[in-house]
PDB file of all heavy atoms in Angstrom:
ATOM      1  N   ILE B  27     -20.610  16.112 -13.925  1.00 97.00           N
ATOM      2  CA  ILE B  27     -20.352  17.061 -14.943  1.00 97.00           C
ATOM      3  C   ILE B  27     -20.710  16.493 -16.302  1.00 97.00           C
ATOM      4  O   ILE B  27     -20.297  15.378 -16.615  1.00 97.00           O
ATOM      5  CB  ILE B  27     -18.879  17.588 -15.006  1.00 97.00           C
ATOM      6  CG1 ILE B  27     -18.591  18.341 -13.716  1.00 97.00           C
ATOM      7  CG2 ILE B  27     -18.567  18.465 -16.260  1.00 97.00           C
ATOM      8  CD1 ILE B  27     -17.065  18.647 -13.514  1.00 97.00           C
ATOM      9  N   GLU B  28     -21.551  17.170 -17.114  1.00 96.00           N
ATOM     10  CA  GLU B  28     -22.031  16.583 -18.350  1.00 96.00           C
ATOM     11  C   GLU B  28     -20.865  16.357 -19.360  1.00 96.00           C
ATOM     12  O   GLU B  28     -19.895  17.150 -19.367  1.00 96.00           O
ATOM     13  CB  GLU B  28     -23.045  17.474 -19.032  1.00 96.00           C
ATOM     14  CG  GLU B  28     -24.274  17.738 -18.186  1.00 96.00           C
ATOM     15  CD  GLU B  28     -24.159  18.840 -17.094  1.00 96.00           C
ATOM     16  OE1 GLU B  28     -22.996  19.344 -17.036  1.00 96.00           O
ATOM     17  OE2 GLU B  28     -25.103  19.120 -16.385  1.00 96.00           O
ATOM     18  N   PRO B  29     -20.880  15.216 -20.127  1.00 94.00           N
ATOM     19  CA  PRO B  29     -19.789  14.886 -21.066  1.00 94.00           C
ATOM     20  C   PRO B  29     -19.465  16.067 -22.076  1.00 94.00           C
ATOM     21  O   PRO B  29     -18.332  16.185 -22.469  1.00 94.00           O
ATOM     22  CB  PRO B  29     -20.342  13.696 -21.801  1.00 94.00           C
ATOM     23  CG  PRO B  29     -21.334  13.072 -20.885  1.00 94.00           C
ATOM     24  CD  PRO B  29     -21.952  14.169 -20.144  1.00 94.00           C
ATOM     25  N   GLY B  30     -20.434  16.892 -22.379  1.00 92.00           N
ATOM     26  CA  GLY B  30     -20.155  17.939 -23.342  1.00 92.00           C
ATOM     27  C   GLY B  30     -19.401  19.068 -22.682  1.00 92.00           C
ATOM     28  O   GLY B  30     -18.890  19.967 -23.456  1.00 92.00           O
ATOM     29  N   ALA B  46      -5.929  13.410 -18.702  1.00 97.00           N
ATOM     30  CA  ALA B  46      -6.599  13.965 -19.874  1.00 97.00           C
ATOM     31  C   ALA B  46      -7.216  12.892 -20.758  1.00 97.00           C
ATOM     32  O   ALA B  46      -8.385  12.994 -21.346  1.00 97.00           O
ATOM     33  CB  ALA B  46      -5.554  14.716 -20.743  1.00 97.00           C
ATOM     34  N   GLN B  47      -6.497  11.716 -20.903  1.00 97.00           N
ATOM     35  CA  GLN B  47      -6.995  10.616 -21.693  1.00 97.00           C
ATOM     36  C   GLN B  47      -8.297  10.063 -21.082  1.00 97.00           C
ATOM     37  O   GLN B  47      -9.263   9.781 -21.767  1.00 97.00           O
ATOM     38  CB  GLN B  47      -6.018   9.479 -21.741  1.00 97.00           C
ATOM     39  CG  GLN B  47      -6.417   8.234 -22.529  1.00 97.00           C
ATOM     40  CD  GLN B  47      -5.373   7.203 -22.615  1.00 97.00           C
ATOM     41  OE1 GLN B  47      -4.147   7.451 -22.584  1.00 97.00           O
ATOM     42  NE2 GLN B  47      -5.741   5.966 -22.578  1.00 97.00           N
ATOM     43  N   VAL B  48      -8.400  10.015 -19.719  1.00 97.00           N
ATOM     44  CA  VAL B  48      -9.585   9.463 -19.019  1.00 97.00           C
ATOM     45  C   VAL B  48     -10.783  10.331 -19.404  1.00 97.00           C
ATOM     46  O   VAL B  48     -11.876   9.902 -19.720  1.00 97.00           O
ATOM     47  CB  VAL B  48      -9.340   9.388 -17.545  1.00 97.00           C
ATOM     48  CG1 VAL B  48     -10.660   9.102 -16.768  1.00 97.00           C
ATOM     49  CG2 VAL B  48      -8.324   8.298 -17.196  1.00 97.00           C
ATOM     50  N   ALA B  49     -10.586  11.661 -19.263  1.00 97.00           N
ATOM     51  CA  ALA B  49     -11.710  12.602 -19.548  1.00 97.00           C
ATOM     52  C   ALA B  49     -12.045  12.629 -20.993  1.00 97.00           C
ATOM     53  O   ALA B  49     -13.270  12.751 -21.297  1.00 97.00           O
ATOM     54  CB  ALA B  49     -11.292  13.959 -19.083  1.00 97.00           C
ATOM     55  N   LEU B  50     -11.113  12.538 -21.791  1.00 96.00           N
ATOM     56  CA  LEU B  50     -11.239  12.495 -23.282  1.00 96.00           C
ATOM     57  C   LEU B  50     -12.161  11.281 -23.733  1.00 96.00           C
ATOM     58  O   LEU B  50     -13.128  11.438 -24.513  1.00 96.00           O
ATOM     59  CB  LEU B  50      -9.961  12.490 -24.010  1.00 96.00           C
ATOM     60  CG  LEU B  50      -9.876  12.959 -25.493  1.00 96.00           C
ATOM     61  CD1 LEU B  50     -10.386  14.328 -25.663  1.00 96.00           C
ATOM     62  CD2 LEU B  50      -8.517  12.782 -25.996  1.00 96.00           C
ATOM     63  N   VAL B  51     -11.789  10.097 -23.297  1.00 96.00           N
ATOM     64  CA  VAL B  51     -12.482   8.960 -23.680  1.00 96.00           C
ATOM     65  C   VAL B  51     -13.903   8.934 -23.088  1.00 96.00           C
ATOM     66  O   VAL B  51     -14.803   8.390 -23.708  1.00 96.00           O
ATOM     67  CB  VAL B  51     -11.688   7.669 -23.218  1.00 96.00           C
ATOM     68  CG1 VAL B  51     -12.477   6.414 -23.355  1.00 96.00           C
ATOM     69  CG2 VAL B  51     -10.388   7.544 -24.011  1.00 96.00           C
ATOM     70  N   ALA B  52     -14.115   9.616 -21.930  1.00 96.00           N
ATOM     71  CA  ALA B  52     -15.456   9.793 -21.354  1.00 96.00           C
ATOM     72  C   ALA B  52     -16.351  10.715 -22.072  1.00 96.00           C
ATOM     73  O   ALA B  52     -17.565  10.869 -21.699  1.00 96.00           O
ATOM     74  CB  ALA B  52     -15.299  10.200 -19.864  1.00 96.00           C
ATOM     75  N   GLY B  53     -15.790  11.421 -23.089  1.00 96.00           N
ATOM     76  CA  GLY B  53     -16.614  12.225 -23.938  1.00 96.00           C
ATOM     77  C   GLY B  53     -16.489  13.777 -23.696  1.00 96.00           C
ATOM     78  O   GLY B  53     -17.193  14.506 -24.378  1.00 96.00           O
ATOM     79  N   HIS B  54     -15.596  14.176 -22.934  1.00 97.00           N
ATOM     80  CA  HIS B  54     -15.453  15.583 -22.652  1.00 97.00           C
ATOM     81  C   HIS B  54     -14.462  16.259 -23.667  1.00 97.00           C
ATOM     82  O   HIS B  54     -13.481  15.678 -24.062  1.00 97.00           O
ATOM     83  CB  HIS B  54     -14.787  15.852 -21.297  1.00 97.00           C
ATOM     84  CG  HIS B  54     -15.669  15.505 -20.082  1.00 97.00           C
ATOM     85  ND1 HIS B  54     -16.641  16.279 -19.604  1.00 97.00           N
ATOM     86  CD2 HIS B  54     -15.741  14.304 -19.404  1.00 97.00           C
ATOM     87  CE1 HIS B  54     -17.278  15.723 -18.663  1.00 97.00           C
ATOM     88  NE2 HIS B  54     -16.726  14.501 -18.533  1.00 97.00           N
ATOM     89  N   PRO B  55     -14.743  17.517 -24.044  1.00 98.00           N
ATOM     90  CA  PRO B  55     -13.730  18.273 -24.723  1.00 98.00           C
ATOM     91  C   PRO B  55     -12.632  18.524 -23.673  1.00 98.00           C
ATOM     92  O   PRO B  55     -12.957  18.811 -22.515  1.00 98.00           O
ATOM     93  CB  PRO B  55     -14.425  19.633 -25.051  1.00 98.00           C
ATOM     94  CG  PRO B  55     -15.953  19.281 -25.034  1.00 98.00           C
ATOM     95  CD  PRO B  55     -16.074  18.195 -24.054  1.00 98.00           C
ATOM     96  N   VAL B  56     -11.428  18.329 -24.064  1.00 98.00           N
ATOM     97  CA  VAL B  56     -10.292  18.516 -23.168  1.00 98.00           C
ATOM     98  C   VAL B  56      -9.312  19.560 -23.639  1.00 98.00           C
ATOM     99  O   VAL B  56      -8.926  19.494 -24.752  1.00 98.00           O
ATOM    100  CB  VAL B  56      -9.562  17.101 -22.966  1.00 98.00           C
ATOM    101  CG1 VAL B  56      -8.307  17.293 -22.137  1.00 98.00           C
ATOM    102  CG2 VAL B  56     -10.516  16.081 -22.251  1.00 98.00           C
ATOM    103  N   LEU B  86     -11.212   0.651 -28.448  1.00 93.00           N
ATOM    104  CA  LEU B  86     -11.844   1.865 -28.874  1.00 93.00           C
ATOM    105  C   LEU B  86     -12.091   1.680 -30.356  1.00 93.00           C
ATOM    106  O   LEU B  86     -11.100   1.167 -31.038  1.00 93.00           O
ATOM    107  CB  LEU B  86     -10.988   3.032 -28.624  1.00 93.00           C
ATOM    108  CG  LEU B  86     -11.525   4.465 -28.721  1.00 93.00           C
ATOM    109  CD1 LEU B  86     -12.581   4.751 -27.700  1.00 93.00           C
ATOM    110  CD2 LEU B  86     -10.362   5.594 -28.622  1.00 93.00           C
ATOM    111  N   ALA B  94     -12.724  11.824 -30.411  1.00 95.00           N
ATOM    112  CA  ALA B  94     -11.907  12.234 -29.268  1.00 95.00           C
ATOM    113  C   ALA B  94     -10.806  13.077 -29.671  1.00 95.00           C
ATOM    114  O   ALA B  94     -10.494  14.099 -29.053  1.00 95.00           O
ATOM    115  CB  ALA B  94     -11.378  10.898 -28.551  1.00 95.00           C
ATOM    116  N   ARG B  97     -11.951  16.597 -30.062  1.00 97.00           N
ATOM    117  CA  ARG B  97     -12.218  17.251 -28.809  1.00 97.00           C
ATOM    118  C   ARG B  97     -10.985  17.710 -28.062  1.00 97.00           C
ATOM    119  O   ARG B  97     -11.073  18.362 -27.004  1.00 97.00           O
ATOM    120  CB  ARG B  97     -13.086  16.351 -27.856  1.00 97.00           C
ATOM    121  CG  ARG B  97     -14.505  15.989 -28.406  1.00 97.00           C
ATOM    122  CD  ARG B  97     -15.371  15.408 -27.290  1.00 97.00           C
ATOM    123  NE  ARG B  97     -14.778  14.225 -26.777  1.00 97.00           N
ATOM    124  CZ  ARG B  97     -14.976  12.985 -27.206  1.00 97.00           C
ATOM    125  NH1 ARG B  97     -15.849  12.784 -28.337  1.00 97.00           N
ATOM    126  NH2 ARG B  97     -14.459  11.930 -26.631  1.00 97.00           N
ATOM    127  N   THR B 197     -18.752  12.566 -11.025  1.00 98.00           N
ATOM    128  CA  THR B 197     -18.025  12.678 -12.259  1.00 98.00           C
ATOM    129  C   THR B 197     -17.026  11.573 -12.459  1.00 98.00           C
ATOM    130  O   THR B 197     -16.982  10.980 -13.537  1.00 98.00           O
ATOM    131  CB  THR B 197     -17.324  14.037 -12.383  1.00 98.00           C
ATOM    132  OG1 THR B 197     -18.347  15.022 -12.247  1.00 98.00           O
ATOM    133  CG2 THR B 197     -16.584  14.233 -13.719  1.00 98.00           C
ATOM    134  N   ALA B 198     -16.307  11.215 -11.448  1.00 98.00           N
ATOM    135  CA  ALA B 198     -15.293  10.161 -11.510  1.00 98.00           C
ATOM    136  C   ALA B 198     -16.042   8.861 -11.803  1.00 98.00           C
ATOM    137  O   ALA B 198     -15.488   7.994 -12.575  1.00 98.00           O
ATOM    138  CB  ALA B 198     -14.474  10.114 -10.237  1.00 98.00           C
ATOM    139  N   THR B 200     -18.750   8.475 -13.665  1.00 97.00           N
ATOM    140  CA  THR B 200     -19.120   8.398 -15.064  1.00 97.00           C
ATOM    141  C   THR B 200     -17.904   8.283 -15.960  1.00 97.00           C
ATOM    142  O   THR B 200     -18.048   7.805 -17.031  1.00 97.00           O
ATOM    143  CB  THR B 200     -19.830   9.698 -15.473  1.00 97.00           C
ATOM    144  OG1 THR B 200     -18.940  10.860 -15.349  1.00 97.00           O
ATOM    145  CG2 THR B 200     -21.052  10.007 -14.655  1.00 97.00           C
ATOM    146  N   TRP B 201     -16.709   8.479 -15.441  1.00 97.00           N
ATOM    147  CA  TRP B 201     -15.504   8.283 -16.155  1.00 97.00           C
ATOM    148  C   TRP B 201     -15.028   6.814 -16.102  1.00 97.00           C
ATOM    149  O   TRP B 201     -13.972   6.395 -16.572  1.00 97.00           O
ATOM    150  CB  TRP B 201     -14.400   9.160 -15.639  1.00 97.00           C
ATOM    151  CG  TRP B 201     -14.560  10.582 -15.941  1.00 97.00           C
ATOM    152  CD1 TRP B 201     -15.588  11.182 -16.625  1.00 97.00           C
ATOM    153  CD2 TRP B 201     -13.657  11.726 -15.533  1.00 97.00           C
ATOM    154  NE1 TRP B 201     -15.404  12.522 -16.750  1.00 97.00           N
ATOM    155  CE2 TRP B 201     -14.301  12.871 -16.142  1.00 97.00           C
ATOM    156  CE3 TRP B 201     -12.484  11.662 -14.846  1.00 97.00           C
ATOM    157  CZ2 TRP B 201     -13.685  14.119 -15.884  1.00 97.00           C
ATOM    158  CZ3 TRP B 201     -11.893  13.046 -14.687  1.00 97.00           C
ATOM    159  CH2 TRP B 201     -12.466  14.176 -15.228  1.00 97.00           C
ATOM    160  N   GLY B 202     -15.849   5.976 -15.392  1.00 96.00           N
ATOM    161  CA  GLY B 202     -15.479   4.601 -15.241  1.00 96.00           C
ATOM    162  C   GLY B 202     -14.557   4.255 -14.157  1.00 96.00           C
ATOM    163  O   GLY B 202     -13.999   3.194 -14.015  1.00 96.00           O
TER     164      GLY B 202
END
Side-chain angles (χ1 to χ4, degrees):
I27 295 172
E28 299 82 0
Q47 180 179 327
V48 170
L50 197 62
V51 172
H54 292 275
V56 172
L86 192 70
R97 295 194 301 271
T197 300
T200 65
W201 290 0

